[in-house]
Each structure stands twice: as C-alpha cells, then as structure tokens.
Amino acid sequence: MIFKRSERGKAPVEPVTLKILVAGGFGVGKTTLVGAVSEIKPLRTEESLTEAGRPVDDTSGVSGKRTTTVAMDFGRITLREDLVLYVFGTPGQDRFWFLWDELATGALGAVVLADTRRLEDCFAAVDYFERRSIPFVVGVNCFDGASRYPAEAVRQALDLDPEVPVLLCDARERQSVKEVLIGVVEHAMSAAAAAREPATT
C-alpha cells in the first residue's frame, strides 16, 4: 500500500486502490501497455513461443512475435495522491482464457485493446465483459502502418453499445495509456452511478 504525505504537514493519505484489466487478442499490445504506464517494474509472465505451440497459437498478423504472456502482466500507476490503479494484463491465447475469471474478480473495469488489422481478435474480450456486466472501454492501438479509422467506425464494426467509449491510443506512450485508464475509471464510475439511480416509470 502506498502512503503519501500531503502538503502543509497533513496526515498521510491512504489511497483508494482500483483494479483494471487489459484484455484483447494475441499480440495486440497488452504487455507493452502495462509496461508503458507502470510506475514500478512490471511483473511479466512471458514465455518463448515454441514449435510445439504452433498448432494452437495463431500468429497470423503477428509473425514477428517471439514471446507470449502465459498468466498475466501486472503494473501500478498513481493517478492522484488518493487514487492508485492496479493494472492486470490478461493472456491473449484461447488456451489461457481460464485465467480470466480469476483476474476479473474485483475489477472495476477493463480495457479491450484492439488492432484495426485484426478487429475480430477482440470479439471474445468484448463478449466476456458484456456477459459479466463489467464496464469496459475499447482502446484502439494505433500500430505503425495500420489503417486509421474513426472511433465510430470501430464501434460499428464491433457492434458496441453507444455508451461504450472507443479511444485511440498508442500502447507505447505513457500519457496515451494513462488517458485510456482514466477513461475506464470515468466510464465505470458513470455506470455505477447510473445503476444506483431509481428507475422511472
């Protein structure tokens, strides 16, 4: 737990800690995103891709990828003196999806990271969070050389509800990732507030 002494000699502030997931397809940039934003050395569980895994690991579109996350990535960022985010990156391959339920426990919200060259790879993550009513935003990782599309075009392609934010980002850039994480927190807080409002007849 982080404690920071505020200005003018005030007592230390115990921050609220929130859990955010980062999900998406294989090779979409989840490990890069967590590493770019984390203020601590990120925990990574990467292993080398092997010939034995070739039949089950779809590397189409990411032929240069040599490692894969087999459990999770973990990082931490302090947004304010009183607010800390714990960021967990999920594994991308189908064979590790059984870990998602454990990682999702207690999560405030999630980022579904998308690559416009392989949008279909994030369908599973979108479906996962929709089924479990976990608020999420879609972060479109703007890879070098990838076609750029307006956020609304991505929304339509993924058949997202109107209230789901679609944000363009660069998973390598700390400030860009930070803005996406702030978007998740704001969206989740708005969803929680809407759920508390009494239904009108």
Side-chain angles (χ1 to χ4, degrees), residues 4-194:
K4 289 188 176 181
R5 182 169 295 278
S6 56
E7 295 179 359
R8 301 178 185 174
K10 293 182 180 179
V13 175
E14 182 175 353
V16 172
T17 57
L18 303 175
K19 182 179 183 180
I20 303 294
L21 296 188
V22 181
F26 178 51
V28 78
K30 300 180 294 295
T31 298
T32 299
L33 183 150
V34 173
V37 80
S38 181
E39 63 197 14
I40 62 173
K41 183 178 180 180
L43 169 66
R44 292 175 173 162
T45 58
E46 287 196 304
E47 296 292 343
S48 297
L49 293 171
T50 64
E51 285 299 320
R54 191 174 294 277
V56 291
D57 292 333
D58 181 7
T59 58
S60 56
V62 287
S63 57
K65 189 169 174 60
R66 297 291 177 262
T67 61
T68 184
T69 299
V70 297
M72 66 175 184
D73 299 305
F74 171 75
R76 185 188 70 203
I77 177 173
T78 302
L79 291 184
R80 298 192 314 248
E81 182 181 46
D82 60 346
L83 181 59
V84 174
L85 300 186
Y86 291 156
V87 185
F88 291 80
T90 65
Q93 299 103 306
D94 302 10
R95 59 193 169 114
F96 297 124
W97 282 356
F98 68 92
L99 295 168
W100 286 29
D101 286 340
E102 287 291 329
L103 293 174
T105 301
L108 174 77
V111 178
V112 175
L113 203 57
D115 178 351
T116 57
R117 299 168 299 183
R118 300 177 290 122
L119 271 183
E120 66 279 3
D121 288 0
C122 69
F123 287 161
V126 169
D127 289 343
Y128 181 90
F129 296 121
E130 284 181 343
R131 286 197 309 269
R132 287 159 180 78
S133 299
I134 297 175
F136 68 94
V137 306
V138 172
V140 181
N141 193 8
C142 297
F143 284 87
D144 294 337
S147 299
R148 305 294 174 93
Y149 298 96
E152 193 55 37
V154 175
R155 177 188 307 283
Q156 292 177 8
L158 294 177
D159 193 25
L160 299 173
D161 291 337
E163 67 272 13
V164 176
V166 177
L167 308 171
L168 304 183
C169 69
D170 185 334
R172 302 167 297 183
E173 298 292 334
R174 187 174 196 273
Q175 186 58 37
S176 180
V177 174
K178 186 176 178 180
E179 290 170 4
V180 172
L181 295 177
I182 290 172
V184 176
V185 173
E186 291 177 343
H187 177 54
M189 294 300 188
S190 296

